[in-house]
Amino acid sequence: MIKYPSGQPFVDTKKRAISSNSPKRIVSSGNRGMNLEDDINASNEWYKEHGICLITKRPTPINVVKVDYSRGAIITNAYFEKQSTTDYNGVYRGKYIDFEAKNTKSKTSFPLSNISSHQIEHLKNVLKHDGIAFFIVEFQTLSKVFLLDAKFVIDYFEHNPRKSIPLETFEKEGIIIKQGYSPRLFYIDAVIEKYFKL
């Protein structure tokens, strides 16, 4: 069992109903919400193979306490060494990129409770050093994926009395990310539109 430093057990809220390694996995709007992370990972691999950018999933550091070697070195007890920052980071056109991927089942808004204060602080530091920082947010039931700039989200998180960001705000302030097969998410197109167009 994996535990946080406080001793609380880790509950995986991102378990997938369909494995990304499954050859029968079908990419459709029906199951896309369950696989946002898989879609980003596959898109990153496609971008890397085509020499477009290098973005990787940031691993969560864990401290292994106990290993069961009788079943082939299976970790049976571990805990997170520290809170994770954001999901992805890398480089595109010589600029450091850092972003968090989130999804919501709501049709009308994205709850700010899905964002932790340490992620906000991390993204502030990225912006302080002139990096590119944003959120990729999926509205699962609508099959819509948006890029929303971290500066906007940070300001909303810290100064807006609302506890969620309305869908209309994503449509006005964000950029819709096109979805396809290769790559699954054309999020670099949205990055270009937001950060590289003069």
Side-chain angles (χ1 to χ4, degrees):
M1 179 192 320
I2 298 176
K3 295 183 180 179
Y4 287 100
S6 65
Q8 293 293 323
F10 166 69
V11 178
D12 187 1
T13 59
K14 294 184 177 181
K15 282 192 176 178
R16 306 292 184 251
I18 300 171
S19 168
S20 62
N21 296 329
S22 170
K24 294 182 181 178
R25 180 175 180 272
I26 298 169
V27 179
S28 69
S29 60
N31 70 2
R32 185 174 293 280
M34 294 297 289
N35 296 291
L36 176 61
E37 192 174 286
D38 292 339
D39 288 349
I40 294 172
N41 293 342
S43 300
N44 287 342
E45 192 60 35
W46 188 89
Y47 285 133
K48 178 183 171 185
E49 288 171 3
H50 289 79
I52 294 169
C53 65
L54 180 62
I55 310 288
T56 57
K57 175 117 174 71
R58 181 183 275 119
T60 303
I62 63 167
N63 189 354
V64 176
V65 176
K66 191 174 181 183
V67 178
D68 181 357
Y69 291 102
S70 67
R71 296 185 291 162
I74 295 173
I75 298 172
T76 57
N77 195 351
Y79 64 87
F80 291 113
E81 291 180 355
K82 58 183 178 180
Q83 292 177 314
S84 62
T85 51
T86 50
D87 290 329
Y88 295 92
N89 68 338
V91 95
Y92 174 65
R93 291 191 188 176
K95 291 286 283 184
Y96 176 76
I97 288 181
D98 200 301
F99 67 93
E100 177 69 12
K102 301 284 189 186
N103 60 45
T104 180
K105 291 181 180 177
S106 171
K107 293 180 179 179
T108 59
S109 64
F110 171 72
L112 289 172
S113 59
N114 287 355
I115 303 170
S116 59
S117 56
H118 71 271
Q119 289 174 325
I120 292 293
E121 289 307 311
H122 171 75
L123 291 170
K124 279 183 177 179
N125 282 324
V126 171
L127 295 171
K128 178 183 172 183
H129 293 284
D130 204 26
I132 292 173
F134 54 88
F135 285 81
I136 289 180
V137 177
E138 177 183 42
F139 285 79
Q140 288 179 237
T141 53
L142 303 175
S143 296
K144 289 185 175 182
V145 184
F146 295 91
L147 180 149
L148 194 59
D149 184 56
K151 287 179 195 171
F152 180 87
V153 176
I154 290 165
D155 184 63
Y156 207 97
F157 187 89
E158 294 182 334
H159 304 295
N160 198 298
R162 286 186 59 113
K163 294 184 178 180
S164 63
I165 303 175
L167 172 63
E168 298 79 38
T169 302
F170 280 90
E171 292 171 336
K172 182 182 176 184
E173 302 291 338
I175 297 172
I176 192 87
I177 295 176
K178 292 181 287 183
Q179 303 173 49
Y181 181 71
S182 291
R184 292 184 194 166
L185 294 174
F186 290 82
Y187 78 86
I188 289 297
D189 289 1
V191 168
I192 292 168
E193 184 178 339
K194 178 68 182 175
Y195 303 104
F196 289 90
K197 280 195 172 178
L198 298 177

